[in-house]
Amino acid sequence: MTYKGQVRQGKIELENAIKLPEGAIVKVELIGAAVTEDLHPDIIRFTGIIPGSVNGEEEYRKALESKHG
């Protein structure tokens, strides 16, 4: 049987709170990796918390202007 999960804080968390028996032998296959190391730290910091109604490009332009004049 195949279960899907995600790594969080170095541990694999299975979806839907699947509980396996203690001592179960499992096989882990990486099917997709997060691309966070290629993103700017500011993007990583704010990913998922900016509402969809915010124009990201405009906010980014304003931030650059305020930072660099």
Side-chain angles (χ1 to χ4, degrees), residues 32-45:
V35 190
T36 56
E37 61 265 2
D38 295 332
L39 298 175
H40 188 279
D42 286 346
I43 294 172
I44 295 168
R45 193 173 83 196

Side-chain angles (χ1 to χ4, degrees), residues 4-39:
K4 194 173 182 181
Q6 189 172 18
V7 176
R8 290 192 179 95
Q9 297 181 352
K11 296 181 181 178
I12 298 170
E13 292 182 12
L14 300 175
E15 289 181 353
N16 303 322
I18 303 289
K19 293 195 186 245
L20 300 174
E22 189 67 30
I25 306 294
V26 298
K27 177 181 176 182
V28 177
E29 178 183 355
L30 184 62
I31 58 172
V35 190
T36 56
E37 61 265 2
D38 295 332
L39 298 175

